[in-house]
Amino acid sequence: MIELVRKKDLFNLIQPLLPKCHSLAMSLLPDDLQAQQLIVDSFTQYLLKEKSLWLDRDWDESDKKDQIHLRRLMLKSWIKVMVHLGMRRATQLQIRYDGVEHREFYHLDPSTRVVAWLKYDQGWSIPEIESALGLKKFEVIEKIHNSRFILSGGLKRSQELSL
Amino acid sequence: MMNREHFARKIPAYFDGTLSESERTELESFIGSNREFADYFKLKQTEYNNLKNSIPHFSFTSEAQNQIESELKEVIENLFHAETSNVIEKFSSWVKEKL
């Protein structure tokens, strides 16, 4: 009975995180199937790594504060796994983005896309991004500056000027 | 003019959260005391906020969501099943040892 409750609670915990994870996965791999596979594979890896946390933990499913705290904890760790797996796949698969709307974004390399997503979309701080990606502070700042330059159309303007 | 350029260069770092406490206070104080610069700062703030719009948001279709949810439920199920099998195996070995 406890097991049934735990499985259900674990699923209820992750369900609200899925749209965010989908957004990150598509930022890394702009292909529906690849993004879906990334979400499932990264969750599997995360769960194997943290299984004792979820199998042995006695959390109070009715405590909203506890739920929020757990969800936040889970999201940060899951994102870390997803980013490492996703960046490796993005480099190996070299998926081309054929759309028109977000061409500047996909012009960025995978790790810069992730930094941009974490910074501008999720509002993470630089230390949080450093920890999630295993980057040094100056690397994160450099990627933020590069993404800002390209996303604000800076690259296009400088190309036009050089013509 | 020099002051204006000096503080204008600090704006990106301000938005990135990399300015020290004293630099933040200095910049905010300059914004508060200089109307023209305050307007320029607001313009930069709008540009910075617009960056969020350049991050793609793909629609998460209900079909995709159902597919992913079903696979994740299976992952969770497998985790608990593996642990239960592990426990049963350990218990069986213990019983065999005792007999």
Side-chain angles (χ1 to χ4, degrees), chain A residues 36-53:
Chain A
Q36 283 173 34
Q37 200 57 54
L38 178 61
I39 293 171
V40 175
D41 291 346
S42 60
F43 182 69
T44 307
Q45 266 194 29
Y46 162 76
L47 212 54
L48 285 171
K49 203 172 138 196
E50 303 284 347
K51 65 180 175 182
S52 58
L53 174 69

Side-chain angles (χ1 to χ4, degrees), chain A residues 3-150:
Chain A
E3 192 187 285
L4 270 171
V5 168
R6 284 217 176 122
K7 278 189 228 173
K8 185 170 156 260
D9 286 333
L10 183 51
F11 180 74
N12 287 344
L13 212 60
I14 63 170
Q15 201 184 24
L17 303 177
L18 294 181
K20 231 173 248 202
C21 291
H22 179 255
S23 190
L24 173 59
M26 287 294 285
S27 295
L28 282 160
L29 303 167
D31 176 275
D32 283 321
L33 285 176
Q34 290 294 338
Q36 283 173 34
Q37 200 57 54
L38 178 61
I39 293 171
V40 175
D41 291 346
S42 60
F43 182 69
T44 307
Q45 266 194 29
Y46 162 76
L47 212 54
L48 285 171
K49 203 172 138 196
E50 303 284 347
K51 65 180 175 182
S52 58
L53 174 69
W54 302 108
L55 288 173
D56 303 336
R57 188 185 175 98
D58 225 350
W59 79 81
D60 183 359
E61 52 270 13
S62 64
D63 186 338
K64 292 282 176 206
K65 262 190 185 165
D66 199 28
Q67 283 229 351
I68 290 169
H69 169 73
L70 280 173
R71 202 170 271 144
R72 212 172 271 159
L73 196 76
M74 176 187 257
L75 181 65
K76 289 211 157 143
S77 303
W78 186 2
I79 278 179
K80 233 175 169 165
V81 175
M82 198 184 305
V83 163
H84 284 287
L85 190 59
M87 286 203 311
R88 209 164 56 221
R89 286 186 186 176
T91 311
Q92 286 164 353
L93 295 172
Q94 304 263 332
I95 295 169
R96 265 195 56 186
Y97 176 69
D98 291 327
V100 174
E101 216 183 327
H102 299 289
R103 205 168 266 168
E104 285 90 11
F105 181 77
Y106 286 103
H107 191 90
L108 302 167
D109 66 85
S111 63
T112 306
R113 292 203 292 266
V114 172
V115 169
W117 185 82
L118 289 171
K119 178 72 186 156
Y120 300 125
D121 199 68
Q122 299 299 306
W124 281 28
S125 67
I126 289 174
E128 284 173 325
I129 298 173
E130 282 177 63
S131 162
L133 272 61
L135 294 172
K136 296 201 168 63
K137 184 175 177 175
F138 78 90
E139 289 172 310
V140 174
I141 292 174
E142 191 181 20
K143 287 181 191 297
I144 288 172
H145 288 174
N146 287 346
S147 63
R148 188 163 50 231
F149 178 71
I150 289 183

Side-chain angles (χ1 to χ4, degrees), chain B residues 5-96:
Chain B
E5 274 176 34
H6 167 77
F7 286 112
R9 264 188 240 117
K10 300 258 179 199
I11 292 174
Y14 178 86
F15 292 136
D16 290 339
T18 54
L19 286 185
S20 67
E21 193 64 47
S22 59
E23 284 174 314
R24 279 182 75 88
T25 310
E26 243 185 8
L27 176 61
E28 283 166 359
S29 170
F30 187 73
I31 291 166
S33 61
N34 189 314
R35 180 65 189 268
E36 201 194 319
F37 190 77
D39 289 341
Y40 175 75
F41 178 82
K42 272 193 193 130
L43 181 71
K44 289 290 155 191
Q45 196 165 41
T46 307
E47 281 177 14
Y48 185 83
N49 292 337
N50 284 342
L51 282 171
K52 194 171 166 154
N53 296 333
S54 53
I55 308 295
H57 290 97
F58 293 93
S59 57
F60 196 24
T61 63
S62 51
E63 197 188 322
Q65 185 160 358
N66 289 340
Q67 173 72 29
I68 290 172
E69 283 182 5
S70 143
E71 292 194 49
L72 293 181
K73 277 179 183 163
E74 208 179 305
V75 170
I76 293 170
E77 187 68 46
N78 288 341
L79 173 74
F80 281 88
H81 177 74
E83 280 310 300
T84 311
S85 304
N86 223 8
V87 165
I88 291 171
E89 209 180 291
K90 282 182 180 160
F91 182 71
S92 304
S93 310
W94 180 82
V95 167
K96 276 180 191 159

